[in-house]
Amino acid sequence: MILRDVIRYYELTGSDFPSDLKEFAQLQRQYLADIVDENFTDKYESFTDKLMELWLDRKGGIDNVVKDGLLLPTQDELVKLYCRVISPQEEKEEETTFFYSDSLLRSKKDKAENSQTLELLASLANVDMDLSQFLDMELEVVYTIIDLVGKKKKEEQKKRKQKRKGR
């Protein structure tokens, strides 16, 4: 998903896309391991409903969709549109073992309240980069750029310290 959509997703739903995607991926892994939670359908539909809300917003609202005669995408189409989907050919055919993690046993109250979307925007602002140049980039690319800029700044800082010590 591009950064512009991640920000709009947060504005529309009040939810953090990276966190929601992580939970959705966990839900899918459990399903593939034949572990179906009682509220599987609720969780699946909650995520796809948020994606639908974003899709409708990107199309100009429900009135424009009706006026233009657009068909609403299915849940699977929404997931493919906004999330990177690994096709069966890309998957490695090896046997995996599923271990219950502590996160499955924790209550929702233990969930971190941090928003990765807001933290990303704060990082971009902190690095003094023009946010508009990143809006149409994929989220993973933006994270990679921030990581590289951070590494370069650390290297420059290290060099400056070494020069000071050498004098």
Side-chain angles (χ1 to χ4, degrees):
M1 181 180 284
I2 62 173
L3 182 59
R4 178 185 315 274
D5 288 343
V6 171
I7 294 168
R8 190 65 183 145
Y9 180 94
Y10 183 79
E11 290 174 340
L12 291 170
T13 66
S15 296
D16 187 44
F17 179 76
S19 299
D20 285 355
L21 183 61
K22 187 176 181 180
E23 288 176 16
F24 183 71
Q26 180 70 22
L27 186 70
Q28 288 179 316
R29 281 192 292 279
Q30 290 173 352
Y31 179 78
L32 291 174
D34 293 329
I35 301 171
V36 181
D37 201 3
E38 279 181 22
N39 53 359
F40 173 85
T41 305
D42 293 338
K43 289 179 180 178
Y44 188 88
E45 287 179 352
S46 171
F47 181 68
T48 55
D49 286 349
K50 291 174 186 175
L51 293 178
M52 178 63 78
E53 193 173 341
L54 176 64
W55 184 85
L56 286 170
D57 182 72
R58 298 293 288 158
K59 297 299 178 188
I62 190 74
D63 294 335
N64 283 349
V65 170
V66 172
K67 184 178 80 180
D68 295 341
L70 299 175
L71 294 175
L72 296 177
T74 64
Q75 290 176 328
D76 289 338
E77 290 171 338
L78 285 168
V79 171
K80 287 178 185 174
L81 181 64
Y82 289 111
C83 308
R84 183 174 184 272
V85 178
I86 299 173
S87 65
Q89 294 84 15
E90 292 180 58
E91 291 183 47
K92 294 180 182 176
E93 292 187 22
E94 58 184 55
E95 209 170 296
T96 58
T97 306
F98 182 79
F99 295 99
Y100 284 100
S101 66
D102 288 343
S103 64
L104 293 175
L105 304 175
R106 290 187 197 130
S107 68
K108 294 235 180 212
K109 293 177 185 173
D110 292 343
K111 184 177 159 185
E113 295 295 325
N114 296 342
S115 168
Q116 293 178 14
T117 302
L118 293 178
E119 295 220 5
L120 173 63
L121 294 174
S123 296
L124 285 170
N126 190 34
V127 183
D128 298 324
M129 295 180 152
D130 180 20
L131 180 65
S132 63
Q133 66 186 347
F134 295 102
L135 289 177
D136 293 318
M137 289 185 182
E138 287 290 328
L139 192 58
E140 294 83 13
V141 175
V142 176
Y143 279 123
T144 303
I145 290 170
I146 290 174
D147 187 45
L148 288 172
V149 168
K151 286 179 184 177
K152 291 198 181 274
K153 281 192 172 189
K154 283 182 184 177
E155 288 174 11
E156 289 173 10
Q157 217 173 24
K158 211 183 242 186
K159 286 179 184 178
R160 276 189 251 129
K161 283 182 182 179
Q162 288 176 352
K163 285 182 182 179
R164 290 180 196 160
K165 288 181 181 180
R167 290 182 182 179

